[in-house]
Amino acid sequence: MKPQDEQTHFGYKSVARDEKQGLVADVFHSVAAKYDVMNDLMSFGVHRLWKRHTIACSGARQGQTILDLAGGTGDLTSRFSDIVGPEGQVILGDINDSMLKVGREKLRNLGKVGNIEYVQMNAEALPFPDNTFDLITIAFGLRNVTDKSKALASMQRVLKPGGRLLVLEFSKPIYEPLNKAYDFYSFNLLPGMGQLVANDAESYRYLAESIRMHPDQETLKSMMEEVGFEMTSYENLTGGIVALHKGFKF
């Protein structure tokens, strides 16, 4: 057994830190093909509203350079591509090549070409020079990162002065009745839905567990401040089931 400081969590399990990345990769290799369908089913379509709100809060403008980190199947990238136009650039970054392939095919089928680049990358060591991006978004990806503080520091490094980070992630419901209902749904219904649609109950059980192990709203805000983000804030969406955290680099 490895020492405690070399352990991390994979859902509710304790695993070696150097094993988590591969375990998470297996989950997303498994769910990539059905990812969009399951997102609509799991959230009853509300994930589209959460992402639309994130776009509205982004301040994205024509000509900017944007990193959509853990961008998966490209929902945010698609809209950012329209906003930044031919003078701008959007990089869809993801650690998982299966998700990148699904995102690339989906966006190219939508005619999104010319200002989008697809890059496989690890959030903990972003392969870009300092002060590269006007905006970084990471939607429903941070909870899967092994060292979240290291990833946040990497994001802060590659943002331009004046740039902003938006973290859209499942969080802690602020009403106890909602919290109980959410737990029942996550652990009793979601794995069965995953089995029925994606033939994979275990991956969706992990996804539910990973949400519960993710830092709550105030903890994540503090983590962002500790690596240098300023004017940090968060907004609870759908009663805190999801939170949108914001931070700036100055």
Side-chain angles (χ1 to χ4, degrees), residues 71-231:
T73 58
D75 286 346
L76 294 182
T77 292
S78 177
R79 182 66 188 117
F80 284 139
S81 172
D82 294 336
I83 293 171
V84 302
E87 302 302 315
Q89 183 183 39
V90 184
I91 294 179
L92 194 166
D94 205 292
I95 197 169
N96 188 278
D97 63 324
S98 295
M99 295 292 286
L100 273 178
K101 286 172 183 172
V102 171
R104 184 188 297 114
E105 181 178 3
K106 172 182 167 182
L107 294 181
R108 287 179 176 174
N109 287 342
L110 290 172
K112 308 283 183 177
V113 295
N115 65 355
I116 300 174
E117 186 177 349
Y118 303 87
V119 181
Q120 188 171 1
M121 66 183 74
N122 186 334
E124 296 177 24
L126 295 172
F128 305 105
D130 296 357
N131 309 321
T132 297
F133 297 101
D134 299 286
L135 169 70
I136 298 174
T137 58
I138 179 167
F140 306 116
L142 186 61
R143 72 181 189 280
N144 297 307
V145 174
T146 301
D147 191 330
K148 296 173 181 59
S149 291
K150 190 175 181 181
L152 289 168
S154 188
M155 295 177 218
Q156 200 268 356
R157 178 184 66 79
V158 301
L159 269 176
K160 295 177 183 177
R164 76 179 75 185
L165 168 69
L166 296 179
V167 181
L168 181 67
E169 188 55 270
F170 291 107
S171 199
K172 173 78 172 168
I174 56 178
Y175 306 112
E176 189 54 33
L178 178 60
N179 198 30
K180 289 179 178 177
Y182 185 44
D183 273 348
F184 179 83
Y185 167 74
S186 298
F187 293 106
N188 292 278
L189 301 181
L190 184 56
M193 195 183 300
Q195 181 63 37
L196 186 66
V197 176
N199 196 32
D200 187 351
E202 281 305 308
S203 288
Y204 285 93
R205 187 171 289 110
Y206 157 73
L207 292 173
E209 292 175 358
S210 70
I211 292 167
R212 299 313 184 280
M213 298 300 290
H214 186 67
D216 64 19
Q217 289 91 323
E218 283 293 333
T219 302
L220 180 54
K221 181 175 181 289
S222 296
M223 291 170 69
M224 292 171 65
E225 290 167 352
E226 285 168 5
V227 300
F229 284 102
E230 300 180 47
M231 291 178 60

Side-chain angles (χ1 to χ4, degrees), residues 33-107:
K34 297 287 187 179
Y35 190 76
D36 284 342
V37 172
M38 280 298 295
N39 271 355
D40 280 330
L41 288 173
M42 285 189 302
S43 71
F44 307 101
V46 179
H47 77 99
R48 297 177 182 275
L49 300 180
W50 297 330
K51 290 170 182 172
R52 192 177 303 163
H53 183 69
T54 301
I55 296 288
C57 293
S58 70
R61 301 191 305 277
Q62 188 171 354
Q64 286 189 327
T65 303
I66 296 175
L67 173 60
D68 180 17
L69 187 55
T73 58
D75 286 346
L76 294 182
T77 292
S78 177
R79 182 66 188 117
F80 284 139
S81 172
D82 294 336
I83 293 171
V84 302
E87 302 302 315
Q89 183 183 39
V90 184
I91 294 179
L92 194 166
D94 205 292
I95 197 169
N96 188 278
D97 63 324
S98 295
M99 295 292 286
L100 273 178
K101 286 172 183 172
V102 171
R104 184 188 297 114
E105 181 178 3
K106 172 182 167 182
L107 294 181

